Amino acid sequence: MILQKKGIRFFVLSCTLCMLCGLSAQAQMTRGELLRKFYQITSLHNSGRDVDAIAVCEEIVSVYPSYPDTYRRMAEIYDEAGDGELAVMMYRKYISLEMDDAKVAESRSRLKELESKLGVPHYDDEEQAAFERAVKPFSSVSRPSSSVSVPATEWPDDAVQSLPSEDLSFGSLFDILSLVSSAESDDESEWLEESLAEIPVDRRDNPISMEQMGSVAEGLVPDGYDFVTQVPDSVINTVDAIFARMDKDRNVSEACTEPFRFVAHKGLLDGFVAKLDGGGSPLVRKEKFTSASSVSGKWISSLYNEDTGLEFLIVDIRDIGNGLSLSFDTDCGLFREHKNNLLKTSWNRIKSIWSTDGARYDVRELEESMSSVEYSDDYLFVSCPLSKKDRPDLGAMGKNLMDNLSVMVPFGNVVSRLGGSLLNYIIKKQGNASFQTVIEMTFKSVTDDVLSCEFIVRETQVASGTTKTVMIDDRTFYMFRAPATYEAFNYVNTDGKSPIYRELYGRLQTRSAENPSLLFPLAMMSYCKIGMGGGVSDVSAFSKALTQMQRLSDEGCVRASAWLIPVYYNLSMDVQHYPLRSQRKHFRELSVALLDNMLQKGYSFAYGLQGDIISGGTDGLDEAVESYKSGMRSGDPHSCYRMGLALMDGQSVQRDMYEAVSCFRKAADMGYADAYLQLALAYKNGSGVERDYKRYISYLIEAVETGSVDALSELSDAFMWGAGVGRDVNDAIAIRRLYFKKKDNAWLDALEAYGCLVDE
């Protein structure tokens, strides 16, 4: 009984805290640490300390919430202790996450016994009923009378292959489409019906009205695009020129015999080459400030939003004669908000000024200059107390949370009642509490133009005569000196919105019936929602991309299969959008079937894909290394690269930087762009080689020109630091913009590889 009460408390508390506070997972454990944790669980359980064993399990769950074996161990502990309800909950969770039927057989049998004993519906029956409800909106959509096949005459003989499982014709593709689209919350049957139709494209001689187009146009064409009028001649001429160029280069179809990895970015750095070639200077560290005035100026943080490039922090430090003052630029990321759909409230994007009770702050006080700047030769210290702007209704938040919880987990009503009691206690306790939150920043000198910043947010809580200090945020990053006119960098992706891409999408859709290789750039455009219009949802566009890529894979395109393997595998682990095991298991089977077929055919890169899939879990890392070794022996550059990373990290193999560099060299010699990046970092840090900033920059250039996108980000940092190049903030930002453009527009590489890139 004690275990039951404490076990429920652990479970409810963990669910409540994770959902209420949005806690991020802890740092990942090494394989050795994970094995020690499981050994500790077994030891504690054998010695009768089940509550402590469950606590260790909860610790693992907080880091690996989708790792099935932890739930199996909890289920067995609860089962032996006689806590049937909790055992059922954990067995169900384990079975839902474990895709191997052989592994779950024993647990499934025991689960049925417990379900019968407790008089609750069987998990398998509930799963089947839920699956039918999930795909029901799509069952009414009429299927084509016969499967659609595409001629494979474009492929070399050795590239044509068939899957060892059932033929994945359009009929089975419809099932995949329905399965993927079942993640959509709204009824998507209309879009599914539309997706079975081809979009008429050639409108020069026979303009087609919206009525003639039918409902397909509504979802695929942006607002304001009128099909009644003819497509502008400039658009037609541009797309005609693209296809004329493609028809001239007949080698693009042969690309389907190779996995799609990197597209060379030759000439991308032409404007920076002179500055890059003149580099080689080491960093000169200055760990003390020379004077207060030397710190004056505008400073921007190295920490920025990975989607937009918006800096987390921008500050102005001014010498006011009798001391220093600091003010914040309110365009930086510190002041940005986003919504949390679960709690129906909002707080700052960077959780630094988010209170533990969910309140926000009046940031206007941070816009004014701060006079409390403490200066010495060793550091600058700034303290900024915050006043609350508002406080949400915790009762309403708690009710919403418990309502969600009651439908998300088995026995949710029980958990909801317990969680509700816990929240009422917290609300009552916090109702009489007072809070004071303070931002503290400590700046130290690194070079003349670089500072380190320790950024801390503390909250002091006073309740019932007790004072408690809570650390809300604690991070350290760098600050770079910027021009006084510097404005916050916020990248907005506008590529792919022109009518040219809508015309190109439609033309590719028609031409792909004759030339199946064009399904690859078409699928990449679908995947990124380019040329489809603004009315298409993410899930619908993704479904379309899968359909097109699977058709291409059925025709024997190795490139399409290589793309699908990790995509299907990732879908099989997507518990958020596909909570049903039957959904995810189908995706896993598709991934494994494609991978097995490639391994049987002897494609060297399949070993690298296999290793990546194995290493994506928390066990089997030894097998992943063996896959990479097999790929290396077969000449796969990706396997060489991944083996280098394994040797560098020291997981499953002994850490060896010299051997890691050797693997990166082998991969780079075979044209693997990111291997050049790793070589650059090795020379920058002196890892496995002597530190050499000149080689650092030269390898970065090679990495960019070979096609590494991440190398652009590193090169931007090199300009920001002045490492191996002359320091130039404007050049750093210009290169960062290139980085975001390439990172957010992978479809452009696909168009370029197939000769259909738009020159705008």
Side-chain angles (χ1 to χ4, degrees), residues 118-137:
L118 294 171
V120 298
H122 290 303
Y123 170 81
D124 290 341
D125 297 338
E126 287 188 337
E127 169 89 2
Q128 181 60 33
F131 179 76
E132 290 175 358
R133 286 196 301 272
V135 299
K136 186 176 181 181

Side-chain angles (χ1 to χ4, degrees), residues 356-605:
T356 53
D357 70 342
R360 292 183 294 159
Y361 296 95
D362 187 351
V363 297
R364 288 173 298 180
E365 60 188 286
L366 295 181
E367 298 176 23
E368 301 172 2
S369 295
M370 299 292 165
S371 57
S372 57
V373 178
E374 182 182 330
Y375 169 79
S376 76
D377 290 345
D378 295 314
Y379 64 85
L380 286 177
F381 177 75
V382 182
S383 178
C384 310
L386 295 169
S387 301
K388 291 210 179 155
K389 182 179 179 182
D390 60 12
R391 178 173 173 154
D393 184 349
L394 287 178
M397 288 167 54
K399 183 178 184 305
N400 180 69
L401 170 66
M402 290 302 112
D403 288 345
N404 282 325
L405 195 61
S406 66
V407 298
M408 287 170 61
V409 298
F411 301 100
N413 291 330
V414 177
V415 177
S416 177
R417 287 197 300 273
L418 291 166
S421 300
L422 176 64
L423 278 169
N424 288 333
Y425 171 75
I426 294 172
I427 294 166
K428 183 178 179 181
K429 186 174 180 181
Q430 290 190 348
N432 300 319
S434 63
F435 300 84
Q436 176 62 64
T437 302
V438 177
I439 294 178
E440 296 177 352
M441 293 178 290
T442 303
F443 300 98
K444 294 182 179 179
S445 176
V446 179
T447 74
D448 284 340
D449 300 308
V450 182
L451 304 174
S452 68
C453 175
E454 183 181 5
F455 183 91
I456 293 175
V457 183
R458 307 178 194 271
E459 182 174 79
T460 302
Q461 305 173 0
V462 180
S464 304
T466 303
T467 301
K468 179 182 177 183
T469 300
V470 178
M471 185 76 72
I472 297 179
D473 200 357
D474 183 2
R475 67 181 81 198
T476 300
F477 47 86
Y478 293 106
M479 301 291 294
F480 300 111
R481 189 188 297 277
T485 56
Y486 181 85
E487 296 181 357
F489 174 76
N490 197 356
Y491 174 75
V492 179
N493 188 355
T494 57
D495 287 324
K497 296 189 188 248
S498 72
I500 293 175
Y501 288 106
R502 297 195 291 273
E503 181 71 15
L504 179 62
Y505 186 93
R507 196 85 66 90
L508 282 172
Q509 203 166 24
T510 299
R511 292 284 294 268
S512 61
E514 303 170 358
N515 183 359
S517 68
L518 297 181
L519 283 167
F520 193 93
L522 180 65
M524 289 300 294
M525 291 182 75
S526 298
Y527 184 70
C528 299
K529 293 176 65 176
I530 303 299
M532 301 181 72
V536 178
S537 69
D538 291 339
V539 172
S540 298
F542 182 57
S543 302
K544 190 83 169 176
L546 274 185
T547 303
Q548 292 156 344
M549 204 67 84
Q550 184 64 65
R551 285 177 181 171
L552 183 55
S553 176
D554 291 346
E555 290 299 321
C557 179
V558 175
R559 175 167 292 180
S561 297
W563 187 89
L564 285 167
I565 288 170
V567 169
Y568 281 143
Y569 193 86
N570 288 335
L571 286 173
S572 77
M573 296 189 294
D574 187 358
V575 180
Q576 178 183 357
H577 294 99
Y578 302 98
L580 301 180
R581 182 177 186 269
S582 50
Q583 292 174 307
R584 289 180 278 110
K585 190 170 184 295
H586 186 49
F587 289 130
R588 179 69 59 90
E589 289 169 348
L590 288 166
S591 177
V592 170
L594 286 169
L595 180 60
D596 286 347
N597 185 57
M598 286 194 161
L599 289 170
Q600 290 171 15
K601 294 291 184 181
Y603 289 109
S604 61
F605 66 86

Side-chain angles (χ1 to χ4, degrees), residues 328-364:
F328 293 89
D329 186 332
T330 53
D331 286 333
C332 66
L334 180 65
F335 297 90
R336 303 291 167 165
E337 290 182 350
H338 78 149
K339 295 290 183 181
N340 180 283
N341 292 326
L342 178 63
L343 302 181
K344 310 298 186 207
T345 186
S346 67
W347 55 72
N348 191 275
R349 175 183 293 279
I350 312 291
K351 64 178 182 179
S352 303
I353 57 172
W354 166 58
S355 169
T356 53
D357 70 342
R360 292 183 294 159
Y361 296 95
D362 187 351
V363 297
R364 288 173 298 180

